[in-house]
Amino acid sequence: MTEKFLPTSDFMTDLLSAIKFGIIVADADARVRYVNPFAEDLFGYRESEIVGRELSRLFMADDEAVFLPNILTLTRRRGGYEGEILLRGS
């Protein structure tokens, strides 16, 4: 008999924390919900400084007005966005 593996929230957090790429998770309201340690170092924010804040805080001013809304629209319609974007640090 094969047991089905169901990852726990702690397991997922540990997994995302171990990845050597910057990972930022935002909710449907464009608020940051998670940053892994690599993203903290990359963007210069500690978790306590960015989690719960607007995702727009990481975008350049020009991109915040046009690019961010387009990414959010694509994410809501298609279930995600895949591509490169230029973000700013603190």
Side-chain angles (χ1 to χ4, degrees):
M1 176 181 217
T2 305
E3 290 186 37
K4 185 176 182 181
F5 175 72
L6 298 173
T8 64
S9 178
D10 289 339
F11 173 82
M12 294 302 292
T13 300
D14 290 346
L15 180 64
L16 293 173
S17 293
I19 295 173
K20 300 297 181 202
F21 293 96
I23 297 175
I24 300 169
V25 177
D27 63 19
D29 295 321
R31 292 209 174 270
V32 175
R33 292 296 169 210
Y34 172 82
V35 293
N36 72 346
F38 194 88
E40 287 181 314
D41 292 340
L42 186 65
F43 297 108
Y45 289 107
R46 297 293 109 207
E47 183 179 22
S48 61
E49 296 173 309
I50 193 70
V51 170
R53 306 285 175 111
E54 296 276 334
L55 182 62
S56 61
R57 179 179 214 168
L58 297 174
F59 281 76
M60 305 296 262
D62 292 345
D63 292 337
E64 185 180 343
V66 178
F67 197 48
L68 177 58
N70 287 333
I71 289 173
L72 294 173
T73 298
L74 286 171
T75 300
R76 289 178 183 130
R77 288 186 184 163
R78 297 182 183 164
Y81 170 81
E82 186 174 331
E84 294 183 21
I85 53 178
L86 179 64
L87 299 174
R88 66 177 174 203
S90 59

